[in-house]
Amino acid sequence: MTDETQTYRGCIFNLDGVLVDTAKYHYEAWRQLANSLDFDISREQNEQLKGLGRMASLETILSWGGIYLSEAEKMHWADVKNNWYIGLISNMKPGEVLPGVLYFLRQVREKGMKIALSSSSQNARAVLKSTGLEPYFDVIADGNTIKRQKPDPQCFLLPAEAMGLPPAECLVFEDAPSGITAALLGGFTAIGVGRKENLKQASVVIAGFENLRIDSLLAQHSERVFI
Ligand code: G1P
């Protein structure tokens, strides 16, 4: 049960790089695509793809390689990359959920708060299924329902609405700078997951979920008391 003084009644989690380390699989598949077109991409470049959907990621990668393709060719390569990616995630196991995530999700549940996923990936459900995370979520918003790229706040407004909660009552957990901006533009409280220097706009930055207590996060944001 949520208590009457609890400001926040829902949590919205990004997936890739926040709950599971799928960023490495996206990188592997995008790199294979770049290599097939005779160039390479670095891990640092891959960081810039965080928060971008499939076609926007492809456009960005092609611009790095100075490659011009027709729309039909782009669709072809996006499908090729996706098939490689699906091959990589099909072997994912519950052990690939990042440290502390399950315990944190259980704490959120015990607080009576709702839990939503917000991911630009069209494969988010497959990842949740193979890692056993799916039952924790009341709402799933993914690349099939979210149509506008971050920093547009649609990615968080859709799941908040589906949970029946206003943005002011939701905590957003994000690892992409564009996602933090999207959360703030939407009126959410943004918790950065990763390194402080990359997530300067976030209200709080956490390294990950290990040893994280929902009570201490709520206490840090208790100034916005809900009446
Ligand atoms: C897409 C992009 C990927 C990006 C991800 C963000 O995933 O392809 O580069 O990192 O969104 O979550 P896809 O829909 O292809 O699974």
Side-chain angles (χ1 to χ4, degrees), residues 14-16 22-23 26-27 30 46 49-55 57-58 61 78 81-82 85 89 118-124 143 150:
N14 179 234
L15 178 68
D16 295 323
T22 35
H26 279 298
Y27 176 51
W30 283 130
N46 189 59
L49 303 177
K50 275 185 180 169
L52 293 182
R54 191 178 304 165
M55 295 314 287
S57 298
L58 177 65
I61 291 166
K81 180 269 177 179
N82 194 46
Y85 180 69
I89 60 168
S118 168
S119 172
S120 309
S121 171
Q122 294 172 56
N123 294 298
K150 294 169 190 173

Side-chain angles (χ1 to χ4, degrees), residues 19 30 32 102 109 116 183 215:
L19 302 178
W30 283 130
Q32 199 170 337
L102 292 183
R109 268 260 166 279
D215 283 334

Side-chain angles (χ1 to χ4, degrees), residues 167-216:
E169 292 179 24
C170 300
L171 292 173
V172 165
F173 295 82
E174 244 297 348
D175 68 332
S178 60
I180 298 291
T181 309
L184 297 175
L185 285 173
F188 297 86
T189 298
I191 312 290
V193 183
R195 301 226 304 266
K196 268 198 183 101
E197 57 269 34
N198 299 334
L199 302 163
K200 290 195 182 89
Q201 282 187 295
S203 319
V204 174
V205 178
I206 56 169
F209 292 92
E210 223 167 1
N211 303 320
L212 185 69
R213 301 238 152 228
I214 184 68
D215 283 334
S216 47

Side-chain angles (χ1 to χ4, degrees), residues 122-199:
Q122 294 172 56
N123 294 298
R125 272 182 196 272
V127 171
L128 291 183
K129 278 205 173 85
S130 56
T131 53
L133 280 171
E134 200 182 21
Y136 289 91
F137 290 88
D138 300 298
V139 166
I140 295 172
D142 63 13
N144 300 295
T145 47
I146 298 165
K147 297 297 172 204
R148 293 189 222 126
Q149 294 293 323
K150 294 169 190 173
D152 189 294
Q154 187 195 37
C155 54
F156 301 120
L157 292 172
L158 281 180
E161 194 184 353
M163 288 193 289
L165 296 175
E169 292 179 24
C170 300
L171 292 173
V172 165
F173 295 82
E174 244 297 348
D175 68 332
S178 60
I180 298 291
T181 309
L184 297 175
L185 285 173
F188 297 86
T189 298
I191 312 290
V193 183
R195 301 226 304 266
K196 268 198 183 101
E197 57 269 34
N198 299 334
L199 302 163

